[in-house]
Amino acid sequence: MEQMQTVTVEALERRVETILLAHGMSAPNAQAVAHVIVAGERDHCKSHGLYRLEGCLKVLAAGKASGVSVPVVQDAGGAIVEVDAGGGFAPASFNAGKAALVARARDYGLAALVIRDCLHFSALWHDVEALAEEGLAGLSMCPSYAFVAPSGGKVPLFGTNPFAFGFPRKGAHPYVVDFATSVAARGEIELHRRAGTPIPEGWAIDTEGRPTTDPDAALAGAMLPFGGHKGSAIATMIELLAGAMLGEFMSREALDFMGTGDLLPRHGALILAFDPARFAARSGRDPIAEAERLLGAIEDQGARLPSQRRFKARAQALAEGIALTAAELALLERLSRPDALR
Amino acid sequence: MEQMQTVTVEALERRVETILLAHGMSAPNAQAVAHVIVAGERDHCKSHGLYRLEGCLKVLAAGKASGVSVPVVQDAGGAIVEVDAGGGFAPASFNAGKAALVARARDYGLAALVIRDCLHFSALWHDVEALAEEGLAGLSMCPSYAFVAPSGGKVPLFGTNPFAFGFPRKGAHPYVVDFATSVAARGEIELHRRAGTPIPEGWAIDTEGRPTTDPDAALAGAMLPFGGHKGSAIATMIELLAGAMLGEFMSREALDFMGTGDLLPRHGALILAFDPARFAARSGRDPIAEAERLLGAIEDQGARLPSQRRFKARAQALAEGIALTAAELALLERLSRPDALR
């Protein structure tokens, strides 16, 4: 049997923070990045857990990101709050801008947080869940690397462009959904390639735009957006709103800038916050109680709300700690060395 | 060969307006409703063209909508502009609130238009196209009637919940997309039922939640959201943002209130407007030119942008008029009689 070691969430955060500091990251950045990485691990959201740590170190080692940048908040008092991440990781910038975003949303009813020139490597549910804890509905989106072709086309232009939405609930975890607008993640195709197994139909096309189940042909060609032309339109919307509209990179420019899809992408991010209390005020209704009628009715028929598995894993991790495998322990050990990636 | 008659867009608008007036609608409402109905016909968007006229008259005849309500704009100077439609049709309310919405979006960077207690029977592209003409990006969404089950469930809770997005372009029609978040429209299932043909797989489930291709079983059961659990999440988001958050009906309450799915639904609507010039200002980039790099690259690979067919039909209708079939002419003739629906 594999050797496991159970650590508390706090201990794992400190461990990851120490590793990031050893690789030259500043304390506020290390703390913010460690928090979101361990939050992913805590929620058993493995694709955004410890797995991401090496990616953070790699992009730092490549000199393509800053571990010491100080987020600069631009808050002119309007409904747009901007944070310049200066080529740093998004979590510290989100933390820096959050209070102003929340205040503006409460003042005006809705507001936007624009993060410029960041590496938004963490799961987007983190952003909208933080807003829901403040009683706000939230939308979060960003481009990534151009690996996804538009519906009816063959040249990759969109990223896997994640989209997240959150809505507060009373006495329960918020409604939180977070998904890629591609059918599958690129990493899943890579796993099929390594295993020598075909990918399911509908995931990708080859360089000629023909449907393919060959992982190599898919990686050379393009991935497909979910939901046909409707999903393709949502991916387009994310490029336009969180890329072009902000004057930040869209997914193709992000790929050109980095010169590789193997490092974390650098681009902007858009986070919208809505205050249901403000929106509903004139109706005389309680928007959170209204929402519950829908969410309760979804649960009552046995359909699962998104994120429930994550919240369950979280409760367990907080109560019993996180069990790390021997491979994970070895990874942490290896990454602890400042020359780990050289 | 069928007898056709070609009329100008303006003449058809006057004709439809006259019919609405004959059924007791006030002049501003008749004008606004005739405009969007004929805009649908002009763009060869038949599902939202003359076809809708009888539905408008039916809901008036049933006493379930007001043809004379005067939209009341509530503009407290924040980023939320509200219009109370008073049980009237949305177009007059959109017209009444549009100037304030545009002004607020330019002042704050983004703003929301909330329409309360309306019949948003027109296509949503109308809203976002009007905003794009002002140089603004727009999002529009509303609930409808609960005919769609959540992914993994079987009880209908969502409407076909339309979603539209628009982004301005320079020297070209804007990027405009508008789609139902259900796989298919309810009317399409009804057409299969009448024709006695099966519906495609993936459109619907029966009352037990089992996939069905039988139109009767589908109409008794539930329609499905597009794109599996991701589309289901977007349908949920629309219920929450454009229903619960506003303190207006969600799709199930809309159905309960009307007591039938045969009349146009009554609920609220949410329209968001974003000013790209404000969002991009600090970047020093031109957001419209940036967007063009993406939209041009989609077109260059032969993939069609949404709405292009509609814009082409429009150009033809404006140049050559709209050809009405004998059946359409007979319909207009029949509906012209004030007792047409009695």
Side-chain angles (χ1 to χ4, degrees):
Chain A
M1 238 191 76
E2 203 181 10
Q3 285 263 318
M4 305 281 279
Q5 189 186 318
T6 297
V7 295
T8 66
V9 172
E10 293 70 26
L12 189 56
E13 269 198 36
R14 292 299 80 74
R15 180 82 193 268
V16 171
E17 198 181 326
T18 304
I19 293 173
L20 292 165
L21 290 168
H23 288 265
M25 202 177 257
S26 68
N29 275 296
Q31 204 176 348
V33 168
H35 180 75
V36 299
I37 284 179
V38 175
E41 196 65 30
R42 174 199 69 194
D43 287 9
H44 212 77
C45 174
K46 302 295 275 187
S47 61
H48 289 76
L50 287 180
Y51 165 80
R52 290 277 156 139
L53 179 55
E54 188 159 5
C56 290
L57 302 182
K58 268 188 186 163
V59 72
L60 285 173
K64 297 277 199 167
S66 166
V68 298
S69 68
V70 179
V72 179
V73 179
Q74 305 280 358
D75 177 12
I80 306 175
V81 175
E82 296 187 30
V83 183
D84 192 335
F89 297 89
S93 291
F94 180 78
N95 292 348
K98 192 190 133 191
L101 172 66
V102 170
R104 290 298 158 275
R106 292 199 180 123
D107 282 353
Y108 296 123
L110 73 161
L113 178 66
V114 173
I115 304 182
R116 296 198 177 282
D117 191 16
C118 70
L119 291 94
H120 202 303
F121 74 100
S122 72
L124 298 191
W125 54 254
H126 195 270
D127 303 342
V128 298
E129 208 182 299
L131 293 173
E133 278 163 19
E134 302 284 340
L136 303 175
L139 270 178
S140 179
M141 60 187 91
C142 64
S144 38
Y145 279 138
F147 289 140
V148 178
S151 180
K154 62 182 183 181
V155 183
L157 293 174
F158 310 146
T160 51
N161 293 8
F163 180 88
F165 169 69
F167 201 89
R169 296 178 76 179
K170 219 167 277 170
H173 287 293
Y175 176 88
V176 173
V177 67
D178 176 358
F179 57 85
T181 52
S182 52
V183 175
R186 194 162 178 86
E188 293 177 86
I189 300 178
E190 180 58 32
L191 288 177
H192 279 279
R193 193 187 64 77
R194 288 188 205 175
T197 53
I199 58 171
E201 280 178 39
W203 281 22
I205 50 178
D206 65 17
T207 52
E208 298 304 311
R210 294 170 301 211
T212 186
T213 58
D214 172 10
D216 284 306
L219 292 170
M223 294 159 67
L224 288 173
F226 89 99
H229 69 278
K230 297 180 182 182
S232 187
I234 291 174
T236 306
M237 177 188 84
I238 295 173
E239 295 288 333
L240 293 176
L241 288 183
M245 185 172 84
L246 312 182
E248 294 292 316
F249 287 170
M250 289 183 288
S251 296
R252 194 148 87 169
E253 208 174 354
L255 189 54
D256 291 345
F257 175 79
M258 292 300 247
T260 168
D262 294 334
L263 294 172
L264 291 169
R266 219 164 127 166
H267 46 64
L270 177 65
I271 297 139
L272 303 177
F274 305 80
D275 186 355
R278 290 289 302 272
F279 274 92
R282 204 176 297 277
S283 75
R285 290 183 169 198
D286 172 358
I288 309 302
E290 289 298 311
E292 212 48 39
R293 289 154 41 119
L294 178 74
L295 300 174
I298 293 176
E299 288 182 315
D300 285 350
Q301 59 180 286
R304 206 174 51 205
L305 293 177
S307 297
Q308 295 304 311
R309 203 155 28 181
R310 216 163 43 71
F311 293 133
K312 201 177 157 193
R314 180 184 307 180
Q316 192 179 349
L318 291 173
E320 302 167 18
I322 296 173
L324 297 175
T325 63
E328 285 164 342
L329 290 165
L331 176 76
L332 291 175
E333 197 57 48
R334 179 167 66 82
L335 296 180
S336 297
R337 298 194 306 270
D339 63 347
L341 299 168
R342 275 170 220 157
Chain B
M1 244 194 69
E2 203 183 9
Q3 285 263 319
M4 306 282 279
Q5 189 186 321
T6 298
V7 295
T8 66
V9 172
E10 293 69 27
L12 188 56
E13 268 197 39
R14 293 298 82 75
R15 181 83 193 267
V16 171
E17 197 180 325
T18 304
I19 293 173
L20 292 165
L21 289 167
H23 288 264
M25 202 176 258
S26 69
N29 275 297
Q31 202 174 353
V33 168
H35 181 74
V36 299
I37 284 179
V38 176
E41 196 65 30
R42 173 199 69 193
D43 286 11
H44 211 77
C45 175
K46 301 295 274 189
S47 61
H48 288 76
L50 287 180
Y51 165 79
R52 290 277 157 139
L53 178 55
E54 188 158 7
C56 291
L57 302 182
K58 268 189 186 161
V59 72
L60 285 172
K64 298 275 198 170
S66 166
V68 298
S69 68
V70 179
V72 179
V73 179
Q74 306 280 358
D75 177 11
I80 305 175
V81 175
E82 296 187 30
V83 183
D84 192 334
F89 297 89
S93 292
F94 180 78
N95 292 348
K98 191 189 131 190
L101 172 67
V102 170
R104 291 298 159 272
R106 292 199 180 124
D107 282 353
Y108 296 122
L110 72 162
L113 178 66
V114 173
I115 304 181
R116 295 199 178 282
D117 190 17
C118 70
L119 291 95
H120 201 304
F121 74 100
S122 73
L124 298 191
W125 54 254
H126 195 270
D127 303 343
V128 299
E129 208 181 300
L131 294 174
E133 278 164 18
E134 302 284 339
L136 303 176
L139 270 178
S140 179
M141 59 187 91
C142 64
S144 36
Y145 279 138
F147 290 139
V148 179
S151 180
K154 62 183 181 182
V155 183
L157 293 174
F158 310 145
T160 50
N161 294 8
F163 180 87
F165 169 69
F167 201 90
R169 296 178 77 179
K170 218 169 278 169
H173 287 293
Y175 176 88
V176 174
V177 68
D178 176 357
F179 57 84
T181 52
S182 52
V183 174
R186 194 164 179 86
E188 292 177 86
I189 299 178
E190 181 59 32
L191 288 177
H192 279 278
R193 192 187 65 77
R194 289 188 205 175
T197 52
I199 57 170
E201 280 178 40
W203 280 23
I205 50 178
D206 66 17
T207 51
E208 298 304 311
R210 292 170 303 209
T212 185
T213 59
D214 172 10
D216 284 305
L219 291 169
M223 295 160 66
L224 289 172
F226 89 99
H229 69 280
K230 297 179 183 184
S232 187
I234 291 174
T236 306
M237 176 186 85
I238 295 173
E239 294 288 333
L240 293 175
L241 288 183
M245 185 171 84
L246 311 182
E248 295 292 317
F249 288 171
M250 288 183 287
S251 296
R252 196 149 84 167
E253 208 175 353
L255 188 54
D256 291 345
F257 175 79
M258 292 301 248
T260 168
D262 294 336
L263 294 172
L264 291 170
R266 221 163 127 166
H267 46 64
L270 177 66
I271 298 138
L272 303 176
F274 305 80
D275 186 355
R278 290 290 302 272
F279 274 92
R282 207 178 295 276
S283 75
R285 288 182 170 199
D286 172 357
I288 309 303
E290 289 298 312
E292 212 47 40
R293 289 155 40 120
L294 179 74
L295 300 173
I298 293 175
E299 288 182 314
D300 286 349
Q301 58 180 287
R304 205 175 51 204
L305 292 176
S307 298
Q308 294 305 309
R309 204 155 27 183
R310 212 163 47 69
F311 293 134
K312 200 177 156 193
R314 181 184 306 180
Q316 192 179 350
L318 291 173
E320 302 166 18
I322 296 173
L324 296 175
T325 63
E328 285 164 342
L329 290 164
L331 176 77
L332 290 175
E333 198 58 47
R334 178 166 66 81
L335 296 180
S336 297
R337 297 196 305 269
D339 62 348
L341 300 168
R342 274 171 221 157

